[in-house]
Structure formats: structure tokens, C-alpha cells
Amino acid sequence: MVSRDAARIGQYGWAMVTGGPAHRSEADLDRLRRRVINVVGHELRTPVTTIRGLAELLGGGDSDPEVAAALVREARRLESLLDQLLVAAGVSAALPVDQPAPVRLVPAITGIWAGLGARADLIVDSGPADEGVAALAGPSALDQMLRALLDNAAAHGDPPVQVKVTGAAGRVQVTVESGGPVVPPEDVAMALEPFWRGERAVTARPGLGLGLPVAKAMAEHAGGSLMVSSRPGGGLIATLELPAG
Amino acid sequence: MNGEPPLRVLVVDDEPSVMLLLRLQLSQSPDIEVVGEASDGEAAVARCHVLRPDAVVMDLLMPVANGFWAIERLRAELPDIHIVAYTAVAGDYVRSEMARFNVPLVLKSGDTTALVEALRRARPALP
């Protein structure tokens, strides 16, 4: 009943936005949605990236440093949010375009963790043979995927955060594990859905609930996958799989 | 850098604010010199024939003549000019066309690091 009502509301909602007939098929609505988002994405990205670039230039000039820093910070945030929204909405046109290259995972992970400034400890569980394990992915895309997993664990999990890197048979796997309350199965199922945030996240800090869905879209675009599962005893396990580099 | 002359770059975009931003940002790199601007594909090809830049930063969606048209013309008429496609969004068609033309593709961003790196990769090919 709920899903039928939601579908009907969605159908009329799109009719209100687009001025088109209310009786469209699901496939038509999906095509229309993608066209709208693609056009909106293009029309929004240009001014947003321009604002961010000009803000960065002001930051280096004679402007009030506090004002300039706030302008740069918010412009970067706006650009990042827009890109996440577009990717989460299924706009493949907003996915990073950098060419796949082998990227060693352990240094990438420890580097991102250091940059997050998280107070929790990170434990990287990888043997000597796994230190050189590399994924084949666009470097900026891989950075965003790993950052989403690590940031999510640091922000919403109990310390320490444990990461395991393994590689075999042409594939590599990064597992990020963090403790916490037992997560109900229905919440685990929603963790990779855009705009969903668990109860703990909603009360802890602001956000749109796009980090993991965007990482999932990027992983699939790179020929891999992202899955989330309950951790025995409480918390979550995020498993990222990619082609080996 | 290293005593070499700066990379001479033509910037092509129909948005004046983007043009302003690119001119200011690229001028911060001592090894890059913006030698001209154009706001559509037709003007871009004409400017290339006059200025003979080392590289072109090419927007794709433009009036009069778009970037796809300009890239095809430049590949045929001035194949030594390095082209970097610079666009707000890159769908499957854009990615496949740029792969077909062997033109590197950079998404527009307030951070021009990726664009500058793509331009600098033109240098080994220069005579």
C-alpha cells in the first residue's frame, strides 16, 4: 500500500514539475527523470565550479582572510555536494573521468585516514604480501570510494576502525569494519540507498546520506562492487571489491 | 620551467565567467601562457590558424559550432595542436567521442590541477 501510494505521488510530482501528463509508464518517468537531472546537472555544475574557482582565487588575494576562507570552504562544499547528488541520482556523466591506473591500497588508505583527522585509531590488517596490493581504478574515483568508507566508519562507528586489504585471482578487496550498536537488517539494507541515514547518524552530524551510495556507483562503474553487512556483536562491515591493478 | 618557453594555450568557452576563471587560474602556472580566447567552435578553429597555440582548452557545448565540430576540424587541419576537452558533465557519448578523437577529457572544477596536468602532458610531443 505504501509503495503504491509513493509511486502515485511520485508520478503526479513529476507531472507538476514537468507539466506533462500524469499517466506515464515507469520507464518513461525514469527516462524523463534522467533527462531532467542531466540537464540540471550541466546547468548547475558550470556556475558552481566557477564560483568555487573564483573563491579560491580570492582566498589567495588581499581579501579579509576569514571571509575568503569561509567563501572557499562553502564553495568547495557546494561543489562536492552537487557532484554527490548527481552521482547518487544515477548521472554517470558526473562520474570522475580520470583513466584507470594501478593504485596501491594500503598507502592510499593510511593517507586518507591521516587527512580525515579522526580521533579513532585505524588498524590496517594486511600481511607483507598485501602491502603492495593495488586496485585498478581512476585515482580520484578510488580516493572518493575509500574516503567514503573511512569517513563513514570514523563518524558513525565505535573505534578502532579495522581495515583489511587482500588480493587474489585478479580482484582486490578492502574491508572496513567498525563497532557500534547492533544494526537492524532493514537498516543494513538501506545503508547504500541515497539520502538514507541511520538514527545514530541523524543525531550525530549533518549530511545527506550520499557517501556510501556514491561510493557504490563509482565501484560499479570501475567494474567492482560495494556491499554492507552487519558486524557480529554490533557495527557494520563495508566490503569494496575492485579489479586488481 | 627548465628554460623552456611556456606552453601557449587557447581557451575556448561560451561562458564569460568560465573564460575569466581559466585565464586567471592558468596564468598562475609559470609554464602556461594563455595566448587567446574564443567563445564558439568556429572562432576557435579560426584563432588556431592565426595563433598556432601549442594546446587548446575546449568546451564542448557551445553555440554556432560546438566543441565536437571544432575538434574534428582541428584534427584534420592542425593535428599538431594538443586538445583538452573541458566540460561540466561527461555522459557516455562525450566519453566515447573523446576516446575516438584521442582527446583527454577533464571535468570542469574549481580546482584546475587535473586541467593543468592534462595540458602539461602536451609538452613531450612538442618539437
Side-chain angles (χ1 to χ4, degrees):
Chain A
M1 175 69 72
V2 171
S3 62
R4 279 204 301 274
D5 284 347
R8 197 176 309 124
I9 289 168
Q11 200 173 34
Y12 286 119
W14 273 108
M16 287 170 63
V17 168
T18 65
H23 304 289
R24 290 179 184 263
S25 69
E26 287 291 332
D28 281 344
L29 282 172
D30 190 60
R31 275 191 291 272
L32 179 59
R33 178 182 66 86
R34 288 183 180 279
R35 279 204 305 274
V36 168
I37 290 171
N38 266 298
V39 169
V40 167
H42 179 265
E43 293 306 307
L44 279 179
R45 273 201 98 248
T46 297
V48 166
T49 58
T50 304
I51 286 169
R52 186 209 157 168
L54 291 170
E56 302 265 5
L57 286 171
L58 273 179
D62 296 330
S63 310
D64 180 303
E66 200 174 346
V67 171
L71 189 56
V72 168
R73 189 170 56 245
E74 295 306 314
R76 284 180 184 167
R77 187 176 159 212
L78 186 60
E79 190 182 44
S80 173
L81 275 173
L82 177 60
D83 283 347
Q84 286 185 62
L85 278 168
L86 291 174
V87 173
V91 180
S92 62
L95 286 166
V97 295
D98 49 346
Q99 293 300 306
V103 180
R104 286 176 56 226
L105 287 165
V106 172
I109 289 165
T110 54
I112 290 169
W113 188 261
L116 287 178
R119 284 177 288 189
D121 289 334
L122 177 75
I123 299 172
V124 180
D125 176 15
S126 66
D130 299 317
E131 289 286 322
V133 168
L136 183 68
S140 70
L142 180 63
D143 181 88
Q144 289 185 58
M145 288 183 247
L146 294 174
R147 189 173 298 273
L149 267 60
L150 294 170
D151 186 65
N152 190 69
H156 307 305
D158 288 345
V161 172
Q162 291 186 288
V163 174
K164 190 173 176 64
V165 175
T166 55
R171 310 292 291 181
V172 298
Q173 200 170 71
V174 176
T175 306
V176 179
E177 190 174 323
S178 58
V182 173
V183 183
E186 56 271 22
D187 282 7
V188 175
M190 291 299 292
L192 295 175
E193 288 296 316
F195 308 110
W196 183 88
R197 305 183 73 220
E199 188 179 321
R200 204 187 208 199
V202 167
T203 55
R205 67 173 195 175
L208 289 179
L210 292 176
L212 292 182
V214 168
K216 179 173 182 281
M218 290 185 174
E220 289 169 357
H221 184 75
S225 65
L226 174 63
M227 294 173 59
V228 172
S229 57
S230 288
R231 178 175 173 273
L236 278 180
I237 302 173
T239 304
L240 174 68
E241 191 190 88
L242 291 166
Chain B
M1 287 175 67
N2 302 323
E4 292 176 334
L7 195 71
R8 300 172 64 253
V9 176
L10 178 78
V11 174
V12 185
D13 201 297
D14 62 320
E15 298 264 1
S17 298
V18 174
M19 196 85 81
L20 166 68
L21 180 61
L22 282 174
R23 192 169 67 239
L24 293 172
Q25 287 177 319
L26 293 178
S27 68
Q28 294 193 325
S29 297
D31 58 331
I32 293 176
E33 178 189 3
V34 176
V35 297
E37 300 172 359
S39 56
D40 64 74
E42 204 170 89
V45 173
R47 295 294 282 159
C48 281
H49 277 286
V50 171
L51 294 171
R52 300 299 174 113
D54 300 315
V56 176
V57 177
M58 182 78 75
D59 185 23
L60 293 179
L61 298 182
M62 295 183 288
V64 182
N66 60 34
F68 300 95
W69 178 91
I71 288 170
E72 190 153 16
R73 284 280 300 274
L74 288 173
R75 278 284 187 259
E77 297 169 20
L78 296 165
D80 291 338
I81 294 180
H82 181 64
I83 306 170
V84 177
Y86 194 55
T87 183
V89 287
D92 292 340
Y93 177 75
V94 169
R95 293 175 197 238
S96 65
E97 282 294 280
M98 293 308 107
R100 182 169 75 88
F101 285 122
N102 194 26
V103 167
L105 177 61
V106 176
L107 282 184
K108 285 182 179 173
S109 170
D111 178 357
T112 51
T113 303
L115 175 61
V116 170
E117 285 173 1
L119 285 170
R120 285 176 177 155
R121 281 194 280 274
R123 190 163 285 283
L126 293 177

